Amino acid sequence: MDKLLIKGGRTLHGDVTISGAKNAALPELCAALLTADPVVLHNVPHLHDVLTMKKLVANMGCVARRDADDAVRLQAPDTLNPEAPYELVKTMRASILALGPLLARFGRARVSLPGGCAIGSRPVDQHIKGLVAMGAHIVVEHGYIEASLPPGQTRLKGARISTDMVTVTGTENFMMAAALADGETVLENAAQEPEITDLAEMLIAMGAQIEGHGTHRIRIQGVPRLHGCEHRVVADRIEAGTFLCAVAATGGEAMLHRARADHLDAVIDKLRDAGVTITPLADGIGIASPGVAALKAQTFRTTEYPGFPTDMQAQFMALNVVAQGSSAVTETIFENRYMHVQEMQRLGAHIHVEGKVAMIEGVPRLSGAHVMATDLRASASLVIAGLVADGDTVVDRIYHLDRGYDRMEAKLAALGADIQRIR
């Protein structure tokens, strides 16, 4: 397995370009299954999960080819085999996003129950509940979701869907399925993330009729067919937030090109309260940090967008453990998302966890050690901690990192970090 070797203590300076968002690219690759026409996605990040999704749709019979300029070209023929086998989806929960498009276009789908990071429960019952409301017949057996339309029914039917919880992938699945359904679908309690809005804009470019995306209520009027389109994947707000925390922790100044400050309001507010200067610009975000010796630890609570994102909890904690003062972090989204705490303690962090709350006492310094990544965002937090620690830090099992960050070590090295991949 690859590892990262980090020699801490260097200040970060310079420019970095933020890649396309993983959490937008994955549903948009699945959205290409809704039409037989060519679809071109630009700004697709180089990630292991993206490669897995490309393999998944290609295994069904969809043409999926990456160009040299970060564009992926897709074309899903009418002869597609609507199945997502376990072998291709066992490491990626986003595979569930194939369910809605396949059912909407082909009237049937067989999708393996998804895998992914072990950070907590991600039940698929909300996906099933919504598609059943649209007229689908669904059974779960032998590790697969088997979905079909009743005899004599050729299309899904519009419905009012109100989920028991806010679900990002559920909202995306329903939106894609409803685009080809008969009648109107109204999604109540819909997720409001920028990636939802980006997917909706792609679907609209394909001919879908969607209103209210970016709010808690989305209305979709089904159309007979969708056509191809070209679409640019939105910049990854979590990658941008991760680099903001890295520069804040190490000190220095940087420009994050293509980053969207309006997608990171909650994180930017906390960074400013900590003492970091953040400057929204036309083509990115500027950051200047005095370093952790002058930064104040921040208490925060994760919530659904537009609140503080759970996907930034671990990275901001890496800043808190070396900032001045005490702080409390409350994780409300996933019940098992403090697995990085034990590894940070190996570096010298003072963290005490009680249930959903992590109490942190800032320390003047961390010391390098060998640590192990347990999930995607935990990986990023350990990298940030390693950047500020004295001596060498080795981060093991970085295949988690490669699932969601596009060549992170190369981007950090370009900012002046002493970091290298050990194969």
Side-chain angles (χ1 to χ4, degrees), residues 91-272:
T91 63
M92 183 182 65
R93 71 182 186 274
S95 57
I96 192 70
L97 291 166
L99 183 61
L102 291 175
L103 186 58
R105 182 173 165 207
F106 298 98
R108 60 189 178 90
R110 185 172 187 263
V111 177
S112 172
L113 290 170
C117 290
I119 59 174
S121 175
R122 293 184 175 98
V124 300
D125 60 330
Q126 299 302 303
H127 297 253
I128 294 172
K129 173 185 174 182
L131 293 172
V132 167
M134 297 177 73
H137 174 70
I138 298 179
V139 295
V140 179
E141 57 185 10
H142 307 301
Y144 278 82
I145 302 171
E146 305 265 4
S148 61
L149 297 179
Q153 184 175 322
T154 59
R155 290 161 62 88
L156 291 169
K157 297 184 181 300
R160 179 182 175 274
I161 301 173
S162 181
T163 53
D164 300 332
M165 63 189 75
V166 177
T167 162
V168 174
T169 53
T171 301
E172 291 165 340
N173 236 340
F174 304 146
M175 199 160 55
M176 289 187 285
L180 287 179
D182 280 334
E184 183 180 73
T185 298
V186 179
L187 307 182
E188 305 282 1
N189 201 25
Q192 302 177 53
E193 276 74 359
E195 296 81 16
I196 299 285
T197 299
D198 199 56
L199 173 62
E201 290 172 353
M202 175 188 173
L203 293 171
I204 291 169
M206 296 172 70
Q209 297 182 14
I210 303 175
E211 297 178 352
H213 42 292
T215 75
H216 64 86
R217 179 181 291 111
I218 303 175
R219 307 179 78 94
I220 308 104
Q221 186 70 41
V223 296
R225 66 177 299 273
L226 296 175
H227 52 73
C229 74
E230 289 200 29
H231 176 76
R232 184 174 187 82
V233 179
V234 69
D236 194 323
R237 61 193 171 97
I238 304 303
E239 184 190 26
T242 300
F243 275 91
L244 288 175
C245 286
V247 175
T250 62
E253 299 181 1
M255 171 63 182
L256 278 58
H257 296 279
R258 296 183 183 172
R260 293 276 300 268
D262 58 325
H263 291 171
L264 283 165
D265 286 340
V267 174
I268 287 174
D269 285 347
K270 288 297 179 183
L271 285 170
R272 284 173 170 159

Side-chain angles (χ1 to χ4, degrees), residues 393-414:
T393 297
V394 176
V395 183
D396 208 346
R397 296 177 65 183
I398 61 165
Y399 60 84
H400 290 294
L401 196 74
D402 294 336
R403 289 185 50 237
Y405 288 94
D406 188 346
R407 298 161 286 194
M408 182 187 227
E409 73 276 10
K411 292 183 179 182
L412 285 171

Side-chain angles (χ1 to χ4, degrees), residues 8 28 111 115 152 168 203 219 265 302 312 321 324 335 372 375 383 419:
E28 287 164 5
V111 177
V168 174
L203 293 171
R219 307 179 78 94
D265 286 340
T302 65
M312 281 300 305
V321 298
Q324 305 301 303
E335 69 274 13
M372 181 178 68
D375 62 73
V383 170
I419 181 172

